[in-house]
Amino acid sequence: MNKKYRRVIIAGNWKENMLPSQVHDFCEALRKEMPESANGSSVVLCVPATHLAALAKEKSRRLAVGAQNISEFDKGAHTGEISADMIADLGAKYCIVGHSERRASNGDTDELVNAKIRALLERGINPILCVGESLDQRDRDLTMEFIAYQVKAALYGLTPEQVKKVVIAYEPIWAIGTGRTATNEQAQEVCFGIRELLRRQYGALISRKVCILYGGSMNAKNCAGLLAQPDIDGGLIGGASLKAADFGVIVREGSK
Ligand code: 13P
């Protein structure tokens, strides 16, 4: 799965699942599934904030700590919020931003997504920016326009050097948690489109370096075809990241 210019990232998104007390056993089981050689690939678990401290104890060269959301504020009177600084202090190297579930239910607008990305980059955390169209938008042939808008709005005002640190996850909304995966061709087409957009905006050197993941019902069975696509540099995996054996299959595929 050598992408030449980019490392492969296999990231699990636990969403609102599992308990902090289950993190250790899960990581033990996952370690057994890890291949001999990572072959330059990285594995990340994006866990609820309550699980970060437990995950930090498990982190290694092979397993990075990821979060699922932060506040756009540095600190202060924002009851219930968690800052980029706080997750950095717990060892987070990645954080999901703009997941469609948060855009739909938690008021994450494009402006907010942009502010959160800036806050993460300032603390040295790699944002995993999620973008993706609805089924209605796909049916009306608006997919690429919508994705381009989301990507541009999220990256607004960033320097090319900062853009290089952003991981972009293409997650068609209709494929999330539905068992209905995008075909290899559909996923590749959009990931290629994102890279083309980055090339036009920031130049070939930058666009070649940005990791673009696919997410949406990726599992042990369909991961090989998706990960073999030239512009897909890994996966953001929901349901299948909750079982170490299933996630292990994807991790091993990513390290081939
Ligand atoms: P599923 O893999 O469960 O479809 O979830 C994908 C996702 O939303 C990852 O962020």
Side-chain angles (χ1 to χ4, degrees):
M1 214 69 44
N2 188 349
K3 303 283 175 176
K4 201 162 161 196
Y5 299 104
R6 305 176 288 277
R7 67 191 188 290
V8 169
I9 298 177
I10 304 297
N13 175 7
W14 276 9
K15 308 192 180 183
E16 193 184 348
N17 291 299
M18 310 281 270
L19 296 171
S21 57
Q22 295 175 307
V23 169
H24 174 70
D25 286 353
F26 180 92
C27 291
E28 270 301 301
L30 183 59
R31 268 190 284 275
K32 294 193 183 112
E33 300 287 335
M34 293 271 195
E36 284 285 301
S37 157
N39 207 5
S41 64
S42 305
V43 181
V44 186
L45 277 179
C46 297
V47 297
T50 44
H51 302 33
L52 286 172
L55 183 60
K57 291 190 187 140
E58 311 292 333
K59 77 168 189 260
S60 66
R61 237 172 359 99
R62 306 288 295 278
L63 179 64
V65 176
Q68 297 176 9
N69 180 47
I70 49 141
S71 148
E72 72 276 30
F73 304 112
D74 285 350
K75 60 176 173 179
H78 308 289
T79 303
E81 295 289 2
I82 292 165
S83 72
D85 247 355
M86 294 172 189
I87 65 164
D89 198 51
L90 286 173
K93 289 276 174 281
Y94 294 87
C95 181
I96 295 172
V97 187
H99 194 282
S100 58
E101 288 154 12
R102 291 200 60 85
R103 291 183 193 258
S105 311
N106 302 88
D108 278 14
T109 60
D110 290 307
E111 292 70 25
L112 208 48
V113 167
N114 179 252
K116 290 180 180 186
I117 288 177
R118 288 166 189 252
L120 288 168
L121 289 170
E122 272 169 29
R123 299 297 178 284
I125 300 170
N126 298 97
I128 302 178
L129 161 67
C130 298
V131 296
E133 82 287 4
S134 66
L135 194 54
D136 182 54
Q137 285 164 328
R138 176 161 282 271
D139 287 345
R140 286 189 288 142
D141 204 17
L142 291 170
T143 298
M144 218 45 240
E145 279 84 353
F146 183 68
I147 303 282
Y149 180 86
Q150 281 189 320
V151 171
K152 280 189 188 176
L155 302 184
Y156 178 75
L158 301 190
T159 65
E161 277 308 304
Q162 287 179 311
V163 170
K164 237 169 38 183
K165 296 181 183 133
V166 179
V167 177
I168 301 180
Y170 168 53
E171 299 208 310
I173 294 170
W174 47 271
I176 294 176
T178 58
R180 188 180 159 192
T181 321
T183 64
N184 298 337
E185 293 72 26
Q186 285 171 326
Q188 163 59 22
E189 185 183 22
V190 176
C191 292
F192 171 78
I194 294 171
R195 204 175 302 286
E196 271 300 292
L197 165 78
L198 296 174
R199 190 181 58 76
R200 285 195 300 276
Q201 296 258 117
Y202 305 100
L205 278 178
I206 302 291
S207 81
R208 225 189 257 157
K209 290 273 183 200
V210 174
C211 272
I212 304 180
L213 315 182
Y214 169 80
S217 298
M218 190 188 269
N219 58 37
K221 288 208 175 81
N222 61 28
C223 64
L226 288 159
L227 295 175
Q229 302 306 309
D231 287 292
I232 299 180
D233 309 315
L236 183 56
I237 298 116
S241 74
L242 297 170
K243 292 205 182 97
D246 291 351
F247 193 50
V249 173
I250 306 174
V251 166
R252 287 197 296 277
E253 194 60 46
S255 65
K256 278 185 182 162

